[in-house]
Amino acid sequence: IVPRGTKGDRIFLAWIEERKPRIVAIDAPLSLPHSVICEEAGCPRCEPGAASYLGRDVDRLVKGMPTVMLAAIAFRGIYLARILRSRSYEVIETYPAGSYAAMGISRNDLANGLPITGYDLGSFSSTIPDEVDAVCAALAAVSQVTGKGSLVHGRDGAIALAGESRA
């Protein structure tokens, strides 16, 4: 979790380099919808009514937001993922709302320090939604390392979800 007040990609990347994590979880789309990047004329996946430039099929699988609503976040996430992968880090896309659903908890449960089976969160609590979601993204990364999580695969991306349920 990046400390409060950290701004700028250089500081963010240096912070990651200092810690050398096994997996970096990014709470942002790390791919674009097929219909946005496809260059094939007459592609059946891109036909009106069959596809949408608004979102990826993987987003629909976890009831996520359309990518078009998150474009700036997606572009930054894709950029940072590329840099991190070039530095040999494994990078996963996470969607905290999907992890909350998979764990059977709410953001407020995590924010208020509810114990979660399989994770030692210490005395974590927060009133900042983005901070709570960052912890949830970290839980998704831990879940991938420990084999407790799941990956939701669509044709145009994959989202890693945390996997343990509340005690």
Side-chain angles (χ1 to χ4, degrees):
I1 300 162
V2 178
R4 286 185 193 157
T6 300
K7 297 193 187 290
D9 294 339
R10 283 191 192 147
I11 295 169
F12 175 65
L13 293 166
W15 187 87
I16 291 171
E17 288 283 344
E18 288 173 11
R19 285 150 184 82
K20 305 252 184 261
R22 183 161 165 198
I23 294 180
V24 177
I26 297 180
D27 174 15
L30 298 184
S31 61
L32 296 173
H34 171 81
S35 58
V36 171
I37 60 172
C38 180
E39 296 182 15
E40 180 184 332
C43 173
R45 281 186 66 192
C46 298
E47 287 297 315
S52 170
Y53 68 89
L54 299 175
R56 305 168 304 162
D57 59 348
V58 71
D59 295 317
R60 288 187 291 282
L61 296 173
V62 296
K63 298 178 176 64
M65 283 188 223
T67 306
V68 73
M69 293 179 65
L70 304 170
I73 295 168
F75 294 150
R76 183 171 185 231
I78 291 167
Y79 165 76
L80 290 170
R82 179 172 44 89
I83 290 173
L84 289 164
R85 288 177 179 136
S86 76
R87 296 179 182 182
S88 299
Y89 288 101
E90 181 179 350
V91 180
I92 59 172
E93 175 181 334
T94 65
Y95 178 57
S99 285
Y100 297 134
M103 292 187 292
I105 66 171
S106 70
R107 178 190 280 152
N108 286 338
D109 291 335
L110 184 57
N112 294 322
L114 176 75
I116 300 174
T117 304
Y119 302 101
D120 179 6
L121 298 176
S123 60
F124 173 78
S125 67
S126 177
T127 59
I128 302 169
D130 287 342
E131 191 171 90
V132 179
D133 286 350
V135 169
C136 189
L139 293 178
V142 170
S143 291
Q144 295 307 304
V145 170
T146 60
K148 296 176 186 175
S150 61
L151 281 175
V152 177
H153 290 276
R155 292 179 295 179
D156 45 15
I159 295 174
L161 302 176
E164 289 290 316
S165 60
R166 83 166 106 179

CSV table of all heavy atoms in Angstrom, one decimal, residues 61-91:
chain,number,residue,atom,x,y,z
A,61,LEU,N,-18.4,-9.7,-16.1
A,61,LEU,CA,-18.4,-10.9,-15.3
A,61,LEU,C,-18.3,-10.6,-13.8
A,61,LEU,O,-18.7,-11.4,-13.0
A,61,LEU,CB,-17.2,-11.8,-15.7
A,61,LEU,CG,-17.3,-12.4,-17.1
A,61,LEU,CD1,-16.0,-13.1,-17.5
A,61,LEU,CD2,-18.5,-13.3,-17.3
A,62,VAL,N,-17.7,-9.5,-13.4
A,62,VAL,CA,-17.6,-9.1,-12.0
A,62,VAL,C,-18.4,-7.9,-11.7
A,62,VAL,O,-18.3,-7.3,-10.6
A,62,VAL,CB,-16.1,-8.9,-11.6
A,62,VAL,CG1,-15.3,-10.2,-11.7
A,62,VAL,CG2,-15.5,-7.8,-12.3
A,63,LYS,N,-19.3,-7.6,-12.6
A,63,LYS,CA,-20.2,-6.4,-12.4
A,63,LYS,C,-19.4,-5.1,-12.2
A,63,LYS,O,-19.8,-4.3,-11.3
A,63,LYS,CB,-21.2,-6.7,-11.3
A,63,LYS,CG,-22.1,-7.9,-11.5
A,63,LYS,CD,-23.1,-8.1,-10.4
A,63,LYS,CE,-24.0,-9.2,-10.6
A,63,LYS,NZ,-23.6,-10.5,-10.9
A,64,GLY,N,-18.4,-5.0,-13.0
A,64,GLY,CA,-17.5,-3.8,-12.8
A,64,GLY,C,-18.0,-2.6,-13.7
A,64,GLY,O,-19.0,-2.7,-14.4
A,65,MET,N,-17.3,-1.5,-13.6
A,65,MET,CA,-17.7,-0.3,-14.3
A,65,MET,C,-17.2,-0.4,-15.7
A,65,MET,O,-16.2,-1.1,-16.0
A,65,MET,CB,-17.0,0.9,-13.7
A,65,MET,CG,-17.6,1.4,-12.4
A,65,MET,SD,-16.8,3.0,-12.0
A,65,MET,CE,-16.6,2.7,-10.3
A,66,PRO,N,-17.9,0.2,-16.7
A,66,PRO,CA,-17.4,0.2,-18.0
A,66,PRO,C,-16.0,0.9,-18.1
A,66,PRO,O,-15.8,1.9,-17.4
A,66,PRO,CB,-18.5,1.1,-18.8
A,66,PRO,CG,-19.7,1.0,-17.9
A,66,PRO,CD,-19.2,0.9,-16.5
A,67,THR,N,-15.2,0.4,-18.9
A,67,THR,CA,-13.8,0.9,-19.0
A,67,THR,C,-13.8,2.4,-19.4
A,67,THR,O,-13.0,3.1,-19.0
A,67,THR,CB,-13.0,0.1,-20.0
A,67,THR,OG1,-13.1,-1.3,-19.7
A,67,THR,CG2,-11.5,0.5,-20.1
A,68,VAL,N,-14.7,2.8,-20.2
A,68,VAL,CA,-14.8,4.2,-20.7
A,68,VAL,C,-14.9,5.1,-19.5
A,68,VAL,O,-14.4,6.2,-19.6
A,68,VAL,CB,-15.9,4.4,-21.8
A,68,VAL,CG1,-17.3,4.3,-21.1
A,68,VAL,CG2,-15.7,5.6,-22.5
A,69,MET,N,-15.6,4.7,-18.4
A,69,MET,CA,-15.7,5.5,-17.3
A,69,MET,C,-14.4,5.7,-16.5
A,69,MET,O,-14.2,6.6,-15.7
A,69,MET,CB,-16.8,5.0,-16.3
A,69,MET,CG,-18.2,5.1,-16.9
A,69,MET,SD,-19.4,4.4,-15.8
A,69,MET,CE,-19.4,5.6,-14.5
A,70,LEU,N,-13.5,4.7,-16.7
A,70,LEU,CA,-12.2,4.7,-16.0
A,70,LEU,C,-11.0,4.9,-16.9
A,70,LEU,O,-9.9,4.5,-16.6
A,70,LEU,CB,-12.1,3.3,-15.3
A,70,LEU,CG,-13.2,2.9,-14.4
A,70,LEU,CD1,-13.0,1.4,-14.0
A,70,LEU,CD2,-13.2,3.7,-13.2
A,71,ALA,N,-11.3,5.5,-18.1
A,71,ALA,CA,-10.2,5.6,-19.1
A,71,ALA,C,-8.9,6.2,-18.6
A,71,ALA,O,-7.8,5.6,-18.8
A,71,ALA,CB,-10.7,6.5,-20.3
A,72,ALA,N,-8.9,7.3,-17.9
A,72,ALA,CA,-7.6,7.9,-17.4
A,72,ALA,C,-6.9,6.9,-16.4
A,72,ALA,O,-5.7,6.7,-16.4
A,72,ALA,CB,-7.9,9.2,-16.7
A,73,ILE,N,-7.7,6.3,-15.5
A,73,ILE,CA,-7.2,5.3,-14.6
A,73,ILE,C,-6.6,4.1,-15.3
A,73,ILE,O,-5.5,3.6,-15.0
A,73,ILE,CB,-8.2,4.9,-13.5
A,73,ILE,CG1,-8.6,6.1,-12.7
A,73,ILE,CG2,-7.7,3.7,-12.7
A,73,ILE,CD1,-9.9,5.9,-11.8
A,74,ALA,N,-7.4,3.6,-16.3
A,74,ALA,CA,-6.9,2.5,-17.1
A,74,ALA,C,-5.6,2.8,-17.8
A,74,ALA,O,-4.7,2.0,-17.8
A,74,ALA,CB,-8.0,2.1,-18.1
A,75,PHE,N,-5.5,4.0,-18.5
A,75,PHE,CA,-4.3,4.3,-19.2
A,75,PHE,C,-3.1,4.4,-18.3
A,75,PHE,O,-2.0,3.9,-18.6
A,75,PHE,CB,-4.5,5.6,-20.0
A,75,PHE,CG,-5.5,5.5,-21.1
A,75,PHE,CD1,-6.2,6.7,-21.4
A,75,PHE,CD2,-5.8,4.4,-21.7
A,75,PHE,CE1,-7.2,6.6,-22.4
A,75,PHE,CE2,-6.7,4.3,-22.7
A,75,PHE,CZ,-7.4,5.4,-23.1
A,76,ARG,N,-3.3,5.0,-17.1
A,76,ARG,CA,-2.2,5.0,-16.1
A,76,ARG,C,-1.8,3.6,-15.6
A,76,ARG,O,-0.7,3.3,-15.5
A,76,ARG,CB,-2.5,5.9,-15.0
A,76,ARG,CG,-1.3,6.1,-14.0
A,76,ARG,CD,-1.5,7.1,-13.0
A,76,ARG,NE,-0.3,7.3,-12.2
A,76,ARG,CZ,-0.3,7.2,-10.8
A,76,ARG,NH1,-1.4,7.1,-10.2
A,76,ARG,NH2,0.8,7.4,-10.2
A,77,GLY,N,-2.8,2.8,-15.3
A,77,GLY,CA,-2.6,1.4,-14.9
A,77,GLY,C,-1.9,0.6,-15.9
A,77,GLY,O,-0.9,-0.1,-15.6
A,78,ILE,N,-2.3,0.7,-17.2
A,78,ILE,CA,-1.6,0.0,-18.3
A,78,ILE,C,-0.2,0.4,-18.4
A,78,ILE,O,0.7,-0.4,-18.5
A,78,ILE,CB,-2.4,0.2,-19.6
A,78,ILE,CG1,-3.8,-0.6,-19.5
A,78,ILE,CG2,-1.6,-0.3,-20.8
A,78,ILE,CD1,-4.8,-0.2,-20.6
A,79,TYR,N,0.0,1.7,-18.3
A,79,TYR,CA,1.4,2.3,-18.4
A,79,TYR,C,2.3,1.8,-17.2
A,79,TYR,O,3.4,1.3,-17.4
A,79,TYR,CB,1.3,3.8,-18.4
A,79,TYR,CG,2.6,4.5,-18.1
A,79,TYR,CD1,3.6,4.6,-19.0
A,79,TYR,CD2,2.8,5.1,-16.8
A,79,TYR,CE1,4.8,5.3,-18.8
A,79,TYR,CE2,4.0,5.8,-16.6
A,79,TYR,CZ,5.0,5.9,-17.5
A,79,TYR,OH,6.1,6.5,-17.3
A,80,LEU,N,1.8,1.9,-16.0
A,80,LEU,CA,2.6,1.4,-14.9
A,80,LEU,C,2.8,-0.1,-14.9
A,80,LEU,O,3.9,-0.6,-14.5
A,80,LEU,CB,1.9,1.8,-13.5
A,80,LEU,CG,1.9,3.3,-13.2
A,80,LEU,CD1,1.0,3.6,-12.1
A,80,LEU,CD2,3.3,3.8,-13.0
A,81,ALA,N,1.8,-0.9,-15.3
A,81,ALA,CA,1.9,-2.3,-15.4
A,81,ALA,C,3.1,-2.7,-16.4
A,81,ALA,O,3.9,-3.5,-16.2
A,81,ALA,CB,0.6,-3.0,-15.8
A,82,ARG,N,3.1,-1.9,-17.5
A,82,ARG,CA,4.1,-2.2,-18.5
A,82,ARG,C,5.5,-1.9,-17.9
A,82,ARG,O,6.5,-2.7,-18.1
A,82,ARG,CB,3.9,-1.3,-19.8
A,82,ARG,CG,5.0,-1.5,-20.8
A,82,ARG,CD,4.6,-0.8,-22.1
A,82,ARG,NE,4.1,0.5,-22.0
A,82,ARG,CZ,4.9,1.6,-21.9
A,82,ARG,NH1,6.2,1.5,-22.0
A,82,ARG,NH2,4.4,2.8,-21.8
A,83,ILE,N,5.7,-0.8,-17.2
A,83,ILE,CA,7.0,-0.5,-16.6
A,83,ILE,C,7.3,-1.5,-15.6
A,83,ILE,O,8.5,-2.0,-15.5
A,83,ILE,CB,6.9,0.9,-16.0
A,83,ILE,CG1,6.9,2.0,-17.1
A,83,ILE,CG2,8.2,1.1,-15.1
A,83,ILE,CD1,6.7,3.4,-16.6
A,84,LEU,N,6.4,-1.9,-14.7
A,84,LEU,CA,6.7,-2.9,-13.7
A,84,LEU,C,7.0,-4.3,-14.3
A,84,LEU,O,7.9,-4.9,-13.8
A,84,LEU,CB,5.5,-3.0,-12.7
A,84,LEU,CG,5.3,-1.8,-11.8
A,84,LEU,CD1,3.9,-1.8,-11.2
A,84,LEU,CD2,6.4,-1.7,-10.7
A,85,ARG,N,6.3,-4.7,-15.3
A,85,ARG,CA,6.6,-6.0,-15.9
A,85,ARG,C,8.0,-5.9,-16.6
A,85,ARG,O,8.7,-6.9,-16.6
A,85,ARG,CB,5.5,-6.3,-17.0
A,85,ARG,CG,4.2,-6.7,-16.3
A,85,ARG,CD,3.1,-7.0,-17.3
A,85,ARG,NE,1.9,-7.4,-16.6
A,85,ARG,CZ,0.7,-6.9,-16.9
A,85,ARG,NH1,0.5,-6.1,-17.9
A,85,ARG,NH2,-0.3,-7.4,-16.2
A,86,SER,N,8.4,-4.8,-17.1
A,86,SER,CA,9.7,-4.7,-17.7
A,86,SER,C,10.8,-4.8,-16.6
A,86,SER,O,12.0,-5.1,-16.9
A,86,SER,CB,9.9,-3.3,-18.5
A,86,SER,OG,10.1,-2.2,-17.6
A,87,ARG,N,10.4,-4.5,-15.4
A,87,ARG,CA,11.3,-4.7,-14.2
A,87,ARG,C,11.2,-6.0,-13.6
A,87,ARG,O,11.6,-6.2,-12.4
A,87,ARG,CB,11.1,-3.6,-13.2
A,87,ARG,CG,11.4,-2.2,-13.8
A,87,ARG,CD,11.2,-1.1,-12.8
A,87,ARG,NE,11.5,0.2,-13.4
A,87,ARG,CZ,11.4,1.4,-12.8
A,87,ARG,NH1,11.0,1.4,-11.5
A,87,ARG,NH2,11.6,2.5,-13.4
A,88,SER,N,10.5,-6.9,-14.2
A,88,SER,CA,10.3,-8.3,-13.8
A,88,SER,C,9.3,-8.5,-12.7
A,88,SER,O,9.4,-9.6,-12.0
A,88,SER,CB,11.6,-9.0,-13.5
A,88,SER,OG,12.5,-9.0,-14.6
A,89,TYR,N,8.4,-7.6,-12.5
A,89,TYR,CA,7.4,-7.8,-11.5
A,89,TYR,C,6.2,-8.5,-12.1
A,89,TYR,O,5.8,-8.2,-13.3
A,89,TYR,CB,6.9,-6.5,-10.8
A,89,TYR,CG,8.0,-5.9,-9.9
A,89,TYR,CD1,8.8,-4.8,-10.4
A,89,TYR,CD2,8.1,-6.4,-8.6
A,89,TYR,CE1,9.7,-4.3,-9.5
A,89,TYR,CE2,9.1,-5.8,-7.8
A,89,TYR,CZ,9.9,-4.8,-8.3
A,89,TYR,OH,10.8,-4.2,-7.4
A,90,GLU,N,5.5,-9.3,-11.3
A,90,GLU,CA,4.2,-9.9,-11.8
A,90,GLU,C,3.2,-8.8,-11.4
A,90,GLU,O,3.2,-8.3,-10.3
A,90,GLU,CB,3.9,-11.2,-11.1
A,90,GLU,CG,2.6,-11.8,-11.5
A,90,GLU,CD,2.3,-13.1,-10.8
A,90,GLU,OE1,3.2,-13.7,-10.2
A,90,GLU,OE2,1.1,-13.6,-11.0
A,91,VAL,N,2.3,-8.5,-12.3
A,91,VAL,CA,1.3,-7.4,-12.1
A,91,VAL,C,0.0,-8.1,-12.3
A,91,VAL,O,-0.2,-8.7,-13.4
A,91,VAL,CB,1.5,-6.2,-13.0
A,91,VAL,CG1,0.5,-5.2,-12.8
A,91,VAL,CG2,2.9,-5.6,-12.8
